[in-house]
Amino acid sequence: MAVSVTFMKLLRRALMALSMAGMIAGALRIRGKGGVPPQSGGWRELPLDES
């Protein structure tokens, strides 16, 4: 079964695009924002109305 040259070019371009997207996503994930979680605020008790 012979695979056409145009199909191989399309497949090669698709694989290149996927690998580039993966590298960009990986770089953004590694670099990330990694900020510090908030040190104030949080949960507080709500007054319960005994009706």
Side-chain angles (χ1 to χ4, degrees):
M1 177 176 146
V3 179
S4 69
V5 174
T6 55
F7 177 75
M8 286 302 293
K9 284 183 180 179
L10 179 67
L11 183 63
R12 190 175 297 139
R13 282 187 181 176
L15 289 174
M16 180 65 78
L18 284 173
S19 64
M20 290 294 287
M23 287 191 293
I24 291 171
L28 289 175
R29 187 176 184 103
I30 288 173
R31 196 181 68 166
K33 286 210 171 192
V36 178
Q39 301 296 318
S40 63
W43 294 98
R44 60 183 173 166
E45 289 190 36
L46 295 176
L48 297 175
D49 292 334
E50 299 290 332
S51 302

